[in-house]
């Protein structure tokens, strides 16, 4: 499984983005691992998380994309614009359902609700058969009364924390820091 590998691009112009992409994740890197990547998870629909999919998906032989309803809808529009929609596969997840989604043979993933500046975002709880447990939240903020979304599911975050996770991956965007 791969998470957010289309992330961290500075949007200057198309030519510079392509050069940055090639320097950031060279295609030769994909060729070594693409047969092992069974799914690509996108946690939210910001352009910096989906822009490079037009390059990454063909390089990885179009693994299944996993995301929330809004995220998948925006990704589909982006891939349609780039003439890649017919080759793409999607699994839409609901962060309000406490269900495990099997990705490949080694990953069970639970999606939980988090907040960000775009609605319908997901955090991830990932487990493997050998006992590895990870929580991935990436871009998020704590918002108890969001205007256009439901509040983050902090009860599930607490529940995952009580399971003694092996790895916690997170990022707190600068726009959520009180000044």
């Amino acid at each position: 499984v791969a998470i957010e590998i289309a992330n961290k691009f500075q949007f200057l112009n198309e030519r510079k983005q392509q050069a940055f992409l090639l320097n950031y994740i060279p295609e030769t890197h994909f060729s070594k691992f693409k047969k092992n990547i069974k799914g690509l998870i996108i946690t939210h629909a910001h352009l910096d998380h989906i822009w490079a999919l037009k390059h990454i998906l063909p390089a990885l032989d179009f693994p299944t994309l996993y995301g929330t309803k809004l995220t998948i809808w925006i990704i589909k529009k982006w891939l349609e614009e780039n003439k890649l929609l017919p080759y793409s596969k999607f699994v839409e997840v609901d962060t309000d359902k406490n269900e495990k989604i099997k990705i490949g043979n080694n990953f069970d993933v639970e999606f939980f609700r988090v907040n960000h500046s775009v609605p319908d975002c997901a955090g991830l709880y990932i487990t493997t058969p050998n006992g590895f447990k990870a929580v991935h939240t990436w871009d998020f903020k704590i918002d108890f009364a969001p205007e256009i979304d439901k509040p983050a599911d902090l009860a599930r975050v607490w529940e995952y924390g009580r399971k003694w996770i092996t790895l916690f991956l997170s990022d707190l965007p600068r726009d959520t820091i009180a000044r």
Side-chain angles (χ1 to χ4, degrees):
V1 67
I3 306 167
E4 310 290 10
I5 63 173
N7 198 350
K8 300 293 182 192
F9 295 93
Q10 300 298 317
F11 296 101
L12 303 173
N13 64 45
E14 185 77 11
R15 186 178 206 161
K16 288 184 181 176
Q17 285 174 342
Q18 287 176 352
F20 186 76
L21 171 66
L22 294 174
N23 289 330
Y24 183 66
I25 306 173
E27 192 170 325
T28 56
H29 182 74
F30 291 133
S31 63
K32 293 193 305 192
F33 301 107
K34 69 181 177 182
K35 68 178 177 166
N36 297 323
I37 297 177
K38 306 302 181 200
L40 175 55
I41 301 171
I42 307 295
T43 61
H44 65 284
H46 274 161
L47 192 57
D48 67 327
H49 288 249
I50 68 171
W51 177 86
L53 290 175
K54 64 185 181 179
H55 300 290
I56 290 170
L57 290 176
L60 293 177
D61 293 333
F62 293 92
T64 302
L65 289 165
Y66 295 81
T68 62
K69 184 175 185 175
L70 178 64
T71 300
I72 293 295
W73 183 81
I74 291 174
I75 289 171
K76 284 181 176 180
K77 292 295 181 186
W78 180 244
L79 295 177
E80 180 180 44
E81 184 179 312
N82 288 281
K83 299 181 181 17
L84 296 173
L85 188 59
Y87 311 104
S88 303
K89 302 174 291 275
F90 305 93
V91 173
E92 188 178 294
V93 299
D94 183 346
T95 57
D96 290 330
K97 292 183 178 176
N98 196 357
E99 63 185 1
K100 289 182 182 177
I101 296 175
K102 187 86 160 158
I103 302 178
N105 295 324
N106 296 311
F107 298 96
D108 288 321
V109 182
E110 294 178 37
F111 292 75
F112 60 92
R113 192 173 353 98
V114 296
N115 299 119
H116 191 27
S117 57
V118 61
D120 203 20
C121 300
L124 311 170
Y125 176 65
I126 303 165
T127 59
T128 66
N130 68 355
F132 179 82
K133 295 177 268 190
V135 171
H136 173 89
T137 58
W138 209 246
D139 296 344
F140 78 102
K141 63 181 178 178
I142 306 295
D143 191 343
F144 296 104
E147 292 181 31
I148 58 172
D149 203 1
K150 297 176 187 175
D153 192 343
L154 298 179
R156 291 210 17 225
V157 172
W158 175 258
E159 177 186 318
Y160 298 138
R162 293 183 60 188
K163 294 181 181 187
W164 296 99
I165 60 171
T166 311
L167 178 66
F168 178 67
L169 299 165
S170 183
D171 182 28
L172 184 62
R174 290 184 340 141
D175 64 337
T176 60
I177 297 173
R179 297 183 193 271

PDB file of all heavy atoms in Angstrom, residues 62-92:
ATOM      1  N   PHE A  62      -1.582   1.575 -12.608  1.00  0.00           N
ATOM      2  CA  PHE A  62      -2.927   1.897 -12.132  1.00  0.00           C
ATOM      3  C   PHE A  62      -3.402   1.046 -10.955  1.00  0.00           C
ATOM      4  O   PHE A  62      -4.370   0.295 -11.070  1.00  0.00           O
ATOM      5  CB  PHE A  62      -3.928   1.830 -13.286  1.00  0.00           C
ATOM      6  CG  PHE A  62      -3.706   2.904 -14.311  1.00  0.00           C
ATOM      7  CD1 PHE A  62      -2.893   2.661 -15.409  1.00  0.00           C
ATOM      8  CD2 PHE A  62      -4.277   4.156 -14.165  1.00  0.00           C
ATOM      9  CE1 PHE A  62      -2.662   3.651 -16.346  1.00  0.00           C
ATOM     10  CE2 PHE A  62      -4.052   5.150 -15.100  1.00  0.00           C
ATOM     11  CZ  PHE A  62      -3.249   4.907 -16.198  1.00  0.00           C
ATOM     12  N   PRO A  63      -2.756   1.177  -9.800  1.00  0.00           N
ATOM     13  CA  PRO A  63      -3.283   0.478  -8.617  1.00  0.00           C
ATOM     14  C   PRO A  63      -4.630   1.087  -8.217  1.00  0.00           C
ATOM     15  O   PRO A  63      -4.954   2.214  -8.594  1.00  0.00           O
ATOM     16  CB  PRO A  63      -2.224   0.745  -7.543  1.00  0.00           C
ATOM     17  CG  PRO A  63      -1.614   2.039  -7.952  1.00  0.00           C
ATOM     18  CD  PRO A  63      -1.615   2.025  -9.462  1.00  0.00           C
ATOM     19  N   THR A  64      -5.407   0.364  -7.439  1.00  0.00           N
ATOM     20  CA  THR A  64      -6.696   0.854  -6.965  1.00  0.00           C
ATOM     21  C   THR A  64      -6.484   2.058  -6.053  1.00  0.00           C
ATOM     22  O   THR A  64      -5.600   2.053  -5.198  1.00  0.00           O
ATOM     23  CB  THR A  64      -7.435  -0.257  -6.193  1.00  0.00           C
ATOM     24  OG1 THR A  64      -7.598  -1.374  -7.072  1.00  0.00           O
ATOM     25  CG2 THR A  64      -8.790   0.206  -5.709  1.00  0.00           C
ATOM     26  N   LEU A  65      -7.315   3.085  -6.251  1.00  0.00           N
ATOM     27  CA  LEU A  65      -7.277   4.287  -5.415  1.00  0.00           C
ATOM     28  C   LEU A  65      -8.343   4.168  -4.334  1.00  0.00           C
ATOM     29  O   LEU A  65      -9.488   3.808  -4.610  1.00  0.00           O
ATOM     30  CB  LEU A  65      -7.550   5.528  -6.253  1.00  0.00           C
ATOM     31  CG  LEU A  65      -6.436   5.938  -7.207  1.00  0.00           C
ATOM     32  CD1 LEU A  65      -6.948   6.941  -8.220  1.00  0.00           C
ATOM     33  CD2 LEU A  65      -5.283   6.521  -6.429  1.00  0.00           C
ATOM     34  N   TYR A  66      -7.978   4.508  -3.102  1.00  0.00           N
ATOM     35  CA  TYR A  66      -8.881   4.473  -1.959  1.00  0.00           C
ATOM     36  C   TYR A  66      -9.028   5.885  -1.414  1.00  0.00           C
ATOM     37  O   TYR A  66      -8.035   6.584  -1.225  1.00  0.00           O
ATOM     38  CB  TYR A  66      -8.330   3.574  -0.854  1.00  0.00           C
ATOM     39  CG  TYR A  66      -8.229   2.129  -1.248  1.00  0.00           C
ATOM     40  CD1 TYR A  66      -7.151   1.662  -2.002  1.00  0.00           C
ATOM     41  CD2 TYR A  66      -9.220   1.222  -0.872  1.00  0.00           C
ATOM     42  CE1 TYR A  66      -7.063   0.323  -2.373  1.00  0.00           C
ATOM     43  CE2 TYR A  66      -9.132  -0.121  -1.242  1.00  0.00           C
ATOM     44  CZ  TYR A  66      -8.055  -0.548  -1.994  1.00  0.00           C
ATOM     45  OH  TYR A  66      -7.968  -1.868  -2.357  1.00  0.00           O
ATOM     46  N   GLY A  67     -10.263   6.288  -1.136  1.00  0.00           N
ATOM     47  CA  GLY A  67     -10.504   7.606  -0.564  1.00  0.00           C
ATOM     48  C   GLY A  67     -11.965   7.801  -0.219  1.00  0.00           C
ATOM     49  O   GLY A  67     -12.816   6.960  -0.534  1.00  0.00           O
ATOM     50  N   THR A  68     -12.261   8.916   0.414  1.00  0.00           N
ATOM     51  CA  THR A  68     -13.634   9.243   0.781  1.00  0.00           C
ATOM     52  C   THR A  68     -14.418   9.684  -0.462  1.00  0.00           C
ATOM     53  O   THR A  68     -13.847   9.896  -1.531  1.00  0.00           O
ATOM     54  CB  THR A  68     -13.662  10.370   1.825  1.00  0.00           C
ATOM     55  OG1 THR A  68     -13.078  11.540   1.244  1.00  0.00           O
ATOM     56  CG2 THR A  68     -12.933   9.977   3.094  1.00  0.00           C
ATOM     57  N   LYS A  69     -15.720   9.836  -0.297  1.00  0.00           N
ATOM     58  CA  LYS A  69     -16.602  10.163  -1.417  1.00  0.00           C
ATOM     59  C   LYS A  69     -16.162  11.440  -2.145  1.00  0.00           C
ATOM     60  O   LYS A  69     -16.020  11.441  -3.366  1.00  0.00           O
ATOM     61  CB  LYS A  69     -18.040  10.314  -0.912  1.00  0.00           C
ATOM     62  CG  LYS A  69     -19.056  10.555  -1.988  1.00  0.00           C
ATOM     63  CD  LYS A  69     -20.454  10.581  -1.412  1.00  0.00           C
ATOM     64  CE  LYS A  69     -21.474  10.713  -2.532  1.00  0.00           C
ATOM     65  NZ  LYS A  69     -22.851  10.621  -1.998  1.00  0.00           N
ATOM     66  N   LEU A  70     -15.931  12.525  -1.409  1.00  0.00           N
ATOM     67  CA  LEU A  70     -15.516  13.777  -2.049  1.00  0.00           C
ATOM     68  C   LEU A  70     -14.138  13.641  -2.687  1.00  0.00           C
ATOM     69  O   LEU A  70     -13.925  14.088  -3.811  1.00  0.00           O
ATOM     70  CB  LEU A  70     -15.511  14.921  -1.032  1.00  0.00           C
ATOM     71  CG  LEU A  70     -15.038  16.266  -1.588  1.00  0.00           C
ATOM     72  CD1 LEU A  70     -15.990  16.785  -2.664  1.00  0.00           C
ATOM     73  CD2 LEU A  70     -14.881  17.284  -0.463  1.00  0.00           C
ATOM     74  N   THR A  71     -13.223  13.006  -1.990  1.00  0.00           N
ATOM     75  CA  THR A  71     -11.868  12.835  -2.522  1.00  0.00           C
ATOM     76  C   THR A  71     -11.890  12.044  -3.823  1.00  0.00           C
ATOM     77  O   THR A  71     -11.282  12.456  -4.817  1.00  0.00           O
ATOM     78  CB  THR A  71     -10.969  12.140  -1.480  1.00  0.00           C
ATOM     79  OG1 THR A  71     -10.929  12.952  -0.299  1.00  0.00           O
ATOM     80  CG2 THR A  71      -9.565  11.936  -2.007  1.00  0.00           C
ATOM     81  N   ILE A  72     -12.616  10.937  -3.850  1.00  0.00           N
ATOM     82  CA  ILE A  72     -12.701  10.125  -5.065  1.00  0.00           C
ATOM     83  C   ILE A  72     -13.375  10.901  -6.188  1.00  0.00           C
ATOM     84  O   ILE A  72     -12.940  10.851  -7.345  1.00  0.00           O
ATOM     85  CB  ILE A  72     -13.434   8.790  -4.780  1.00  0.00           C
ATOM     86  CG1 ILE A  72     -12.601   7.914  -3.846  1.00  0.00           C
ATOM     87  CG2 ILE A  72     -13.782   8.063  -6.072  1.00  0.00           C
ATOM     88  CD1 ILE A  72     -11.273   7.427  -4.406  1.00  0.00           C
ATOM     89  N   TRP A  73     -14.422  11.664  -5.873  1.00  0.00           N
ATOM     90  CA  TRP A  73     -15.116  12.447  -6.906  1.00  0.00           C
ATOM     91  C   TRP A  73     -14.162  13.453  -7.562  1.00  0.00           C
ATOM     92  O   TRP A  73     -14.114  13.570  -8.780  1.00  0.00           O
ATOM     93  CB  TRP A  73     -16.330  13.164  -6.299  1.00  0.00           C
ATOM     94  CG  TRP A  73     -17.131  13.918  -7.309  1.00  0.00           C
ATOM     95  CD1 TRP A  73     -18.069  13.413  -8.155  1.00  0.00           C
ATOM     96  CD2 TRP A  73     -17.034  15.315  -7.600  1.00  0.00           C
ATOM     97  NE1 TRP A  73     -18.577  14.414  -8.952  1.00  0.00           N
ATOM     98  CE2 TRP A  73     -17.953  15.600  -8.630  1.00  0.00           C
ATOM     99  CE3 TRP A  73     -16.258  16.362  -7.082  1.00  0.00           C
ATOM    100  CZ2 TRP A  73     -18.134  16.873  -9.152  1.00  0.00           C
ATOM    101  CZ3 TRP A  73     -16.435  17.633  -7.606  1.00  0.00           C
ATOM    102  CH2 TRP A  73     -17.357  17.874  -8.629  1.00  0.00           C
ATOM    103  N   ILE A  74     -13.395  14.155  -6.746  1.00  0.00           N
ATOM    104  CA  ILE A  74     -12.452  15.150  -7.292  1.00  0.00           C
ATOM    105  C   ILE A  74     -11.335  14.461  -8.063  1.00  0.00           C
ATOM    106  O   ILE A  74     -10.921  14.927  -9.130  1.00  0.00           O
ATOM    107  CB  ILE A  74     -11.925  16.067  -6.171  1.00  0.00           C
ATOM    108  CG1 ILE A  74     -13.084  16.963  -5.682  1.00  0.00           C
ATOM    109  CG2 ILE A  74     -10.744  16.915  -6.653  1.00  0.00           C
ATOM    110  CD1 ILE A  74     -12.769  17.821  -4.495  1.00  0.00           C
ATOM    111  N   ILE A  75     -10.843  13.338  -7.571  1.00  0.00           N
ATOM    112  CA  ILE A  75      -9.818  12.583  -8.297  1.00  0.00           C
ATOM    113  C   ILE A  75     -10.354  12.132  -9.653  1.00  0.00           C
ATOM    114  O   ILE A  75      -9.657  12.226 -10.672  1.00  0.00           O
ATOM    115  CB  ILE A  75      -9.319  11.377  -7.476  1.00  0.00           C
ATOM    116  CG1 ILE A  75      -8.463  11.856  -6.297  1.00  0.00           C
ATOM    117  CG2 ILE A  75      -8.525  10.410  -8.350  1.00  0.00           C
ATOM    118  CD1 ILE A  75      -8.115  10.758  -5.309  1.00  0.00           C
ATOM    119  N   LYS A  76     -11.592  11.660  -9.691  1.00  0.00           N
ATOM    120  CA  LYS A  76     -12.179  11.226 -10.969  1.00  0.00           C
ATOM    121  C   LYS A  76     -12.237  12.376 -11.959  1.00  0.00           C
ATOM    122  O   LYS A  76     -11.930  12.195 -13.150  1.00  0.00           O
ATOM    123  CB  LYS A  76     -13.576  10.643 -10.751  1.00  0.00           C
ATOM    124  CG  LYS A  76     -13.562   9.252 -10.170  1.00  0.00           C
ATOM    125  CD  LYS A  76     -14.978   8.719  -9.989  1.00  0.00           C
ATOM    126  CE  LYS A  76     -14.972   7.288  -9.487  1.00  0.00           C
ATOM    127  NZ  LYS A  76     -16.339   6.771  -9.301  1.00  0.00           N
ATOM    128  N   LYS A  77     -12.621  13.559 -11.495  1.00  0.00           N
ATOM    129  CA  LYS A  77     -12.653  14.737 -12.389  1.00  0.00           C
ATOM    130  C   LYS A  77     -11.243  15.048 -12.902  1.00  0.00           C
ATOM    131  O   LYS A  77     -11.051  15.355 -14.074  1.00  0.00           O
ATOM    132  CB  LYS A  77     -13.248  15.959 -11.674  1.00  0.00           C
ATOM    133  CG  LYS A  77     -14.703  15.818 -11.363  1.00  0.00           C
ATOM    134  CD  LYS A  77     -15.501  15.750 -12.639  1.00  0.00           C
ATOM    135  CE  LYS A  77     -16.969  15.633 -12.393  1.00  0.00           C
ATOM    136  NZ  LYS A  77     -17.730  15.418 -13.615  1.00  0.00           N
ATOM    137  N   TRP A  78     -10.257  14.969 -12.028  1.00  0.00           N
ATOM    138  CA  TRP A  78      -8.866  15.244 -12.403  1.00  0.00           C
ATOM    139  C   TRP A  78      -8.367  14.216 -13.420  1.00  0.00           C
ATOM    140  O   TRP A  78      -7.731  14.555 -14.412  1.00  0.00           O
ATOM    141  CB  TRP A  78      -7.999  15.253 -11.153  1.00  0.00           C
ATOM    142  CG  TRP A  78      -6.552  15.516 -11.387  1.00  0.00           C
ATOM    143  CD1 TRP A  78      -5.512  14.671 -11.156  1.00  0.00           C
ATOM    144  CD2 TRP A  78      -5.963  16.711 -11.906  1.00  0.00           C
ATOM    145  NE1 TRP A  78      -4.328  15.264 -11.490  1.00  0.00           N
ATOM    146  CE2 TRP A  78      -4.574  16.519 -11.960  1.00  0.00           C
ATOM    147  CE3 TRP A  78      -6.476  17.930 -12.337  1.00  0.00           C
ATOM    148  CZ2 TRP A  78      -3.693  17.495 -12.417  1.00  0.00           C
ATOM    149  CZ3 TRP A  78      -5.606  18.898 -12.789  1.00  0.00           C
ATOM    150  CH2 TRP A  78      -4.229  18.676 -12.829  1.00  0.00           C
ATOM    151  N   LEU A  79      -8.659  12.956 -13.185  1.00  0.00           N
ATOM    152  CA  LEU A  79      -8.203  11.910 -14.102  1.00  0.00           C
ATOM    153  C   LEU A  79      -8.957  11.964 -15.429  1.00  0.00           C
ATOM    154  O   LEU A  79      -8.383  11.685 -16.479  1.00  0.00           O
ATOM    155  CB  LEU A  79      -8.333  10.538 -13.449  1.00  0.00           C
ATOM    156  CG  LEU A  79      -7.437  10.312 -12.231  1.00  0.00           C
ATOM    157  CD1 LEU A  79      -7.700   8.957 -11.612  1.00  0.00           C
ATOM    158  CD2 LEU A  79      -5.965  10.493 -12.575  1.00  0.00           C
ATOM    159  N   GLU A  80     -10.221  12.349 -15.379  1.00  0.00           N
ATOM    160  CA  GLU A  80     -10.992  12.520 -16.617  1.00  0.00           C
ATOM    161  C   GLU A  80     -10.378  13.639 -17.466  1.00  0.00           C
ATOM    162  O   GLU A  80     -10.194  13.482 -18.679  1.00  0.00           O
ATOM    163  CB  GLU A  80     -12.446  12.843 -16.277  1.00  0.00           C
ATOM    164  CG  GLU A  80     -13.347  13.032 -17.478  1.00  0.00           C
ATOM    165  CD  GLU A  80     -14.768  13.339 -17.058  1.00  0.00           C
ATOM    166  OE1 GLU A  80     -14.975  14.158 -16.132  1.00  0.00           O
ATOM    167  OE2 GLU A  80     -15.679  12.747 -17.657  1.00  0.00           O
ATOM    168  N   GLU A  81     -10.037  14.733 -16.830  1.00  0.00           N
ATOM    169  CA  GLU A  81      -9.406  15.858 -17.524  1.00  0.00           C
ATOM    170  C   GLU A  81      -8.072  15.439 -18.153  1.00  0.00           C
ATOM    171  O   GLU A  81      -7.692  15.943 -19.200  1.00  0.00           O
ATOM    172  CB  GLU A  81      -9.174  16.988 -16.513  1.00  0.00           C
ATOM    173  CG  GLU A  81      -8.612  18.254 -17.093  1.00  0.00           C
ATOM    174  CD  GLU A  81      -8.452  19.322 -16.018  1.00  0.00           C
ATOM    175  OE1 GLU A  81      -9.402  19.549 -15.246  1.00  0.00           O
ATOM    176  OE2 GLU A  81      -7.350  19.916 -15.963  1.00  0.00           O
ATOM    177  N   ASN A  82      -7.398  14.498 -17.531  1.00  0.00           N
ATOM    178  CA  ASN A  82      -6.105  14.027 -18.024  1.00  0.00           C
ATOM    179  C   ASN A  82      -6.207  12.716 -18.804  1.00  0.00           C
ATOM    180  O   ASN A  82      -5.201  12.055 -19.042  1.00  0.00           O
ATOM    181  CB  ASN A  82      -5.126  13.895 -16.857  1.00  0.00           C
ATOM    182  CG  ASN A  82      -4.687  15.247 -16.349  1.00  0.00           C
ATOM    183  OD1 ASN A  82      -3.838  15.888 -16.946  1.00  0.00           O
ATOM    184  ND2 ASN A  82      -5.287  15.712 -15.266  1.00  0.00           N
ATOM    185  N   LYS A  83      -7.439  12.337 -19.167  1.00  0.00           N
ATOM    186  CA  LYS A  83      -7.726  11.169 -20.017  1.00  0.00           C
ATOM    187  C   LYS A  83      -7.231   9.845 -19.427  1.00  0.00           C
ATOM    188  O   LYS A  83      -6.823   8.943 -20.141  1.00  0.00           O
ATOM    189  CB  LYS A  83      -7.184  11.391 -21.421  1.00  0.00           C
ATOM    190  CG  LYS A  83      -7.805  12.603 -22.107  1.00  0.00           C
ATOM    191  CD  LYS A  83      -7.296  12.816 -23.484  1.00  0.00           C
ATOM    192  CE  LYS A  83      -7.866  14.014 -24.186  1.00  0.00           C
ATOM    193  NZ  LYS A  83      -8.518  15.057 -23.478  1.00  0.00           N
ATOM    194  N   LEU A  84      -7.286   9.739 -18.094  1.00  0.00           N
ATOM    195  CA  LEU A  84      -6.842   8.517 -17.418  1.00  0.00           C
ATOM    196  C   LEU A  84      -7.970   7.801 -16.681  1.00  0.00           C
ATOM    197  O   LEU A  84      -7.765   6.711 -16.145  1.00  0.00           O
ATOM    198  CB  LEU A  84      -5.723   8.838 -16.418  1.00  0.00           C
ATOM    199  CG  LEU A  84      -4.426   9.369 -17.013  1.00  0.00           C
ATOM    200  CD1 LEU A  84      -3.479   9.799 -15.913  1.00  0.00           C
ATOM    201  CD2 LEU A  84      -3.780   8.325 -17.906  1.00  0.00           C
ATOM    202  N   LEU A  85      -9.156   8.380 -16.674  1.00  0.00           N
ATOM    203  CA  LEU A  85     -10.266   7.795 -15.929  1.00  0.00           C
ATOM    204  C   LEU A  85     -10.604   6.365 -16.358  1.00  0.00           C
ATOM    205  O   LEU A  85     -10.820   5.512 -15.500  1.00  0.00           O
ATOM    206  CB  LEU A  85     -11.502   8.697 -16.007  1.00  0.00           C
ATOM    207  CG  LEU A  85     -12.679   8.305 -15.134  1.00  0.00           C
ATOM    208  CD1 LEU A  85     -12.288   8.262 -13.664  1.00  0.00           C
ATOM    209  CD2 LEU A  85     -13.834   9.261 -15.351  1.00  0.00           C
ATOM    210  N   PRO A  86     -10.617   6.049 -17.664  1.00  0.00           N
ATOM    211  CA  PRO A  86     -10.990   4.677 -18.055  1.00  0.00           C
ATOM    212  C   PRO A  86     -10.052   3.593 -17.525  1.00  0.00           C
ATOM    213  O   PRO A  86     -10.426   2.426 -17.442  1.00  0.00           O
ATOM    214  CB  PRO A  86     -10.941   4.709 -19.584  1.00  0.00           C
ATOM    215  CG  PRO A  86     -11.025   6.145 -19.956  1.00  0.00           C
ATOM    216  CD  PRO A  86     -10.419   6.907 -18.819  1.00  0.00           C
ATOM    217  N   TYR A  87      -8.849   3.957 -17.161  1.00  0.00           N
ATOM    218  CA  TYR A  87      -7.864   2.969 -16.705  1.00  0.00           C
ATOM    219  C   TYR A  87      -7.830   2.830 -15.179  1.00  0.00           C
ATOM    220  O   TYR A  87      -7.131   1.966 -14.656  1.00  0.00           O
ATOM    221  CB  TYR A  87      -6.465   3.374 -17.180  1.00  0.00           C
ATOM    222  CG  TYR A  87      -6.417   3.711 -18.638  1.00  0.00           C
ATOM    223  CD1 TYR A  87      -6.344   5.036 -19.063  1.00  0.00           C
ATOM    224  CD2 TYR A  87      -6.487   2.714 -19.605  1.00  0.00           C
ATOM    225  CE1 TYR A  87      -6.314   5.351 -20.408  1.00  0.00           C
ATOM    226  CE2 TYR A  87      -6.469   3.028 -20.955  1.00  0.00           C
ATOM    227  CZ  TYR A  87      -6.390   4.347 -21.344  1.00  0.00           C
ATOM    228  OH  TYR A  87      -6.377   4.659 -22.678  1.00  0.00           O
ATOM    229  N   SER A  88      -8.557   3.687 -14.494  1.00  0.00           N
ATOM    230  CA  SER A  88      -8.442   3.790 -13.039  1.00  0.00           C
ATOM    231  C   SER A  88      -9.524   2.998 -12.312  1.00  0.00           C
ATOM    232  O   SER A  88     -10.636   2.856 -12.799  1.00  0.00           O
ATOM    233  CB  SER A  88      -8.522   5.264 -12.627  1.00  0.00           C
ATOM    234  OG  SER A  88      -7.513   6.005 -13.286  1.00  0.00           O
ATOM    235  N   LYS A  89      -9.146   2.492 -11.111  1.00  0.00           N
ATOM    236  CA  LYS A  89     -10.056   1.744 -10.257  1.00  0.00           C
ATOM    237  C   LYS A  89     -10.161   2.476  -8.911  1.00  0.00           C
ATOM    238  O   LYS A  89      -9.158   3.010  -8.423  1.00  0.00           O
ATOM    239  CB  LYS A  89      -9.538   0.323 -10.022  1.00  0.00           C
ATOM    240  CG  LYS A  89      -9.321  -0.469 -11.302  1.00  0.00           C
ATOM    241  CD  LYS A  89      -8.661  -1.813 -11.029  1.00  0.00           C
ATOM    242  CE  LYS A  89      -7.250  -1.715 -10.575  1.00  0.00           C
ATOM    243  NZ  LYS A  89      -6.156  -1.600 -11.445  1.00  0.00           N
ATOM    244  N   PHE A  90     -11.367   2.443  -8.328  1.00  0.00           N
ATOM    245  CA  PHE A  90     -11.605   3.213  -7.119  1.00  0.00           C
ATOM    246  C   PHE A  90     -12.340   2.386  -6.071  1.00  0.00           C
ATOM    247  O   PHE A  90     -13.180   1.564  -6.407  1.00  0.00           O
ATOM    248  CB  PHE A  90     -12.468   4.448  -7.433  1.00  0.00           C
ATOM    249  CG  PHE A  90     -11.899   5.316  -8.508  1.00  0.00           C
ATOM    250  CD1 PHE A  90     -12.271   5.129  -9.827  1.00  0.00           C
ATOM    251  CD2 PHE A  90     -10.990   6.308  -8.203  1.00  0.00           C
ATOM    252  CE1 PHE A  90     -11.744   5.923 -10.832  1.00  0.00           C
ATOM    253  CE2 PHE A  90     -10.461   7.103  -9.198  1.00  0.00           C
ATOM    254  CZ  PHE A  90     -10.832   6.909 -10.514  1.00  0.00           C
ATOM    255  N   VAL A  91     -12.028   2.655  -4.813  1.00  0.00           N
ATOM    256  CA  VAL A  91     -12.808   2.155  -3.689  1.00  0.00           C
ATOM    257  C   VAL A  91     -13.141   3.377  -2.833  1.00  0.00           C
ATOM    258  O   VAL A  91     -12.243   4.052  -2.323  1.00  0.00           O
ATOM    259  CB  VAL A  91     -12.045   1.101  -2.859  1.00  0.00           C
ATOM    260  CG1 VAL A  91     -12.831   0.742  -1.597  1.00  0.00           C
ATOM    261  CG2 VAL A  91     -11.776  -0.141  -3.696  1.00  0.00           C
ATOM    262  N   GLU A  92     -14.439   3.641  -2.714  1.00  0.00           N
ATOM    263  CA  GLU A  92     -14.902   4.766  -1.909  1.00  0.00           C
ATOM    264  C   GLU A  92     -15.147   4.279  -0.488  1.00  0.00           C
ATOM    265  O   GLU A  92     -15.834   3.280  -0.282  1.00  0.00           O
ATOM    266  CB  GLU A  92     -16.199   5.296  -2.523  1.00  0.00           C
ATOM    267  CG  GLU A  92     -16.701   6.567  -1.912  1.00  0.00           C
ATOM    268  CD  GLU A  92     -17.957   7.046  -2.622  1.00  0.00           C
ATOM    269  OE1 GLU A  92     -17.862   7.403  -3.811  1.00  0.00           O
ATOM    270  OE2 GLU A  92     -19.031   7.032  -1.979  1.00  0.00           O
TER     271      GLU A  92
END
